[in-house]
Amino acid sequence: MKSKPTLLIDMDGIFCDWIAGYYMTLEAKFPGARSWFPEIKNLAQFYVSDNLLDQRGQDVEKLICIDPELYAIAPPFPGAIGGMQRLRNYCAAAGVEFFICTAPHIA
């Protein structure tokens, strides 16, 4: 039996605004800690901690990245939901399995 092709769509940076979710989680868990972090528009390094010079920020960052709330509150990019619905419908018609996924960050 031949298996169906599978399409995996990564959540962070593709479907949802991971950076906005990061700052929202940071403020919810550590009020006032936002001042320890530079404005990150695009990550220059894969891990947020590699973009931070302040040790306090690196310690807090490790707690934020493993928090399940991060993905629960990260807002979708404009048009992402409609685009994913259209893509899911296309995949269903073409016999392709479709999943939105992510890999957990490890502290």
Side-chain angles (χ1 to χ4, degrees):
M1 178 179 189
K2 190 174 180 181
S3 63
K4 290 181 177 182
T6 302
L7 177 63
L8 303 175
I9 303 293
D10 191 15
M11 284 182 63
D12 42 318
I14 305 299
F15 179 74
C16 67
D17 186 344
W18 188 89
I19 294 173
Y22 179 89
Y23 285 130
M24 293 165 70
T25 304
L26 175 68
E27 280 300 318
K29 302 289 181 182
F30 301 95
R34 177 71 177 82
S35 63
W36 303 344
F37 291 78
E39 185 65 35
I40 299 173
K41 300 228 186 270
N42 293 302
L43 296 175
Q45 303 293 323
F46 180 75
Y47 294 105
V48 175
S49 60
D50 292 342
N51 294 274
L52 303 173
L53 301 176
D54 187 315
Q55 185 62 47
R56 292 181 304 181
Q58 290 179 8
D59 293 342
V60 169
E61 181 269 340
K62 289 176 181 148
L63 296 173
I64 297 298
C65 286
I66 62 170
D67 192 314
E69 291 297 311
L70 174 61
Y71 288 100
I73 66 173
F77 285 115
I81 294 173
M84 292 296 161
Q85 289 170 335
R86 288 190 298 279
L87 186 55
R88 181 190 62 206
N89 293 340
Y90 173 79
C91 286
V96 175
E97 290 186 294
F98 174 83
F99 298 96
I100 297 173
C101 58
T102 195
H105 289 266
I106 300 170

